[in-house]
Amino acid sequence: MDQLHSFLRRISFNNSAGDLVSFDEQGELEGGFDIINWITFSNKSFSKVKVGKLNPHVLSNKQLYINDGKILWHNNFNKTPPFSICNDHCHPGSVRKKKDGKPFCCYDCVSCPKGKISNQNDMDNCIQCPDDQYTNSNQDGCLPKSLNFLLYGEPLSFGLVFMAVLFSGITALVLGIFIKYQHTPIVKANNRDLTYTLLISLLLCFLCSFLFIGQPHTIICLFRQTTFGVIFSVAISSVLAKTITVVLAFMATKPGSKIRSWVGKRLATFMVLFCSVFQLLLCTVWLCTAPPFLDLDMHSLTKEIVVKCNEGSEFMFYCVLGYLGFLALISFIVAFFARMLPDTFNETKFITFSMLVFCSVWITFVPTYLSTKGKYMVVVEIFSILTSSAGLLGCIFFPKCYIIALKPELNSKELIMRHK
């Protein structure tokens, strides 16, 4: 039998029609096939017409040949070829899903899931758009995403810029008033150097908000949070130094007090430098270990790419904020317990309220910041910087400016001595 099979595999001949007949390696017939059109007449007779051929011995793109002009279709077909499937094609935006228990040609058309497309008929799987593109409404194509960042030209930015410029101008005006009236008792009684340091740092706080507006760049990302942290630490440490100076100054007035030697400009200067340098060291560690960098977030928003500054280390970012909160909390506690000092030293009452405003703003900042996306995260931080700085400026300096400008009779050494 094996010898017969071996013999049959080697057979090759031409049949009566002149076609080559042979077997392949699997023992299957390699002969071609004629494609026959059966034409049925009204008298139930029929005729066979050759309309094409399948020839495996020619090039692959020419193996199947059909002469459409010779085909005579049945009237019911309306001269269009019949479909050998259970249903119509699945159009772009959907894919085929096989029906259980049905032939392979029977399927359902299922829409692509969100974020995926199909751009051809009868696709079996949806395809994912690239990260910088999103699906169109029909889910049959991808569209490019636009960039998302806080532009200077939009109304929201205009409002924030207006606030920053306005508060910066007010701060500069207050600083000018205090320099002009630097020899008056109300300015001298509250440590002029600390007052100037606080006003200048508040002015820089308002101006540093401009680092957060516009399209981020590598250098801006690297320094905007650290700049904000260091400047704010100078402002809060100045408030803390003013508070402790007021308390020590009152305690030094008691007979036999040894605290008098501690009261002076050197202590206040040391406190501001120490607290600010510690924040500077925190920021230096941050920049050396996990510095902020420019990042493109392509997944937070469906149709936009968020151009943002990645903080590098969220832990260090919240350490910087936490340190500011710690300084503000210490200032609030000291000022709160010293609020009942004599009227000459009643600046602690205003410091208490200013620290309450400051802490309230930044406590609400954290959950609000974490719950927003895109450019609105930047808006929340800018608004927190402006409102907390404005709270310090208004609560601490508005009462003094009111006396200097509108109640000059209260700004006298005799009145202060009488209150003592």
Side-chain angles (χ1 to χ4, degrees), residues 1-15 19-31 57:
M1 184 64 69
D2 292 337
Q3 294 176 350
L4 177 61
H5 287 172
S6 177
F7 174 75
L8 291 175
R9 287 192 184 97
R10 294 195 299 270
I11 288 178
S12 176
F13 61 91
N14 293 327
N15 60 14
D19 296 326
L20 178 66
V21 178
S22 61
F23 296 94
D24 59 15
E25 295 178 355
Q26 285 74 35
E28 296 180 356
L29 190 65
E30 283 190 333
H57 302 290

Side-chain angles (χ1 to χ4, degrees), residues 47-324:
S47 173
K48 296 186 294 181
V49 178
K50 182 179 177 181
V51 296
K53 184 176 179 62
L54 178 64
N55 187 359
H57 302 290
V58 297
L59 297 176
S60 58
N61 60 345
K62 296 182 179 180
Q63 289 181 356
L64 177 62
Y65 167 74
I66 296 178
N67 188 346
D68 293 335
K70 290 185 177 182
I71 299 176
L72 181 63
W73 295 101
H74 193 277
N75 294 333
N76 293 338
F77 293 151
N78 196 23
K79 295 186 179 181
T80 57
F83 289 105
S84 59
I85 56 176
C86 299
N87 47 276
D88 198 1
H89 294 288
C90 288
H91 300 292
S94 62
V95 290
R96 299 188 301 184
K97 182 179 180 182
K98 187 179 181 305
K99 292 182 178 181
D100 294 334
K102 298 289 184 178
F104 72 94
C105 59
C106 297
Y107 48 82
D108 292 320
C109 294
V110 181
S111 297
C112 288
K114 185 177 180 180
K116 293 187 176 182
I117 66 163
S118 65
N119 52 10
Q120 296 179 10
N121 286 332
D122 296 332
M123 291 185 64
D124 293 322
N125 296 292
C126 296
I127 56 177
Q128 186 81 37
C129 283
D131 287 340
D132 59 346
Q133 298 180 5
Y134 68 97
T135 59
N136 59 12
S137 58
N138 296 325
Q139 291 188 281
D140 58 1
C142 298
L143 301 175
K145 293 182 179 180
S146 59
L147 298 181
N148 178 287
F149 57 90
L150 191 60
L151 289 166
Y152 269 101
E154 56 186 293
L156 199 56
S157 298
F158 179 79
L160 294 172
V161 169
F162 176 77
M163 290 176 60
V165 172
L166 177 64
F167 288 136
S168 298
I170 294 174
T171 306
L173 179 62
V174 172
L175 179 60
I177 291 174
F178 272 71
I179 292 175
K180 181 178 180 180
Y181 294 95
Q182 60 180 309
H183 299 296
T184 59
I186 195 171
V187 177
K188 296 170 65 176
N190 291 292
N191 196 323
R192 284 178 297 186
D193 293 339
L194 277 180
T195 299
Y196 297 155
T197 302
L198 177 56
L199 284 171
I200 292 173
S201 61
L202 286 177
L203 177 61
L204 294 177
C205 285
F206 290 125
L207 294 177
C208 81
S209 61
F210 288 99
L211 295 174
F212 296 82
I213 304 176
Q215 184 170 355
H217 298 287
T218 302
I219 300 299
I220 292 178
C221 289
L222 197 62
F223 292 109
R224 73 178 187 181
Q225 295 289 8
T226 53
T227 301
F228 147 73
V230 172
I231 293 175
F232 252 81
S233 67
V234 174
I236 303 301
S237 60
S238 299
V239 175
L240 177 61
K242 286 172 74 70
T243 308
I244 294 178
T245 300
V246 168
V247 175
L248 292 179
F250 174 72
M251 296 175 65
T253 58
K254 296 180 180 180
S257 176
K258 297 181 180 180
I259 301 179
R260 185 172 302 178
S261 59
W262 290 87
V263 179
K265 295 182 179 180
R266 286 185 297 178
L267 175 63
T269 303
F270 172 77
M271 291 184 62
V272 173
L273 288 176
F274 177 80
C275 295
S276 303
V277 168
F278 186 83
Q279 180 75 298
L280 183 61
L281 290 176
L282 274 180
C283 294
T284 303
V285 172
W286 183 6
L287 293 176
C288 293
T289 55
F293 59 90
L294 181 64
D295 191 18
L296 299 179
D297 181 5
M298 301 185 183
H299 305 289
S300 294
L301 300 178
T302 304
K303 300 180 180 181
E304 296 176 304
I305 300 174
V306 179
V307 185
K308 67 175 186 177
C309 291
N310 190 308
E311 308 307 345
S313 171
E314 290 188 359
F315 173 76
M316 292 303 301
F317 173 63
Y318 288 110
C319 280
V320 170
L321 286 183
Y323 180 67
L324 293 177

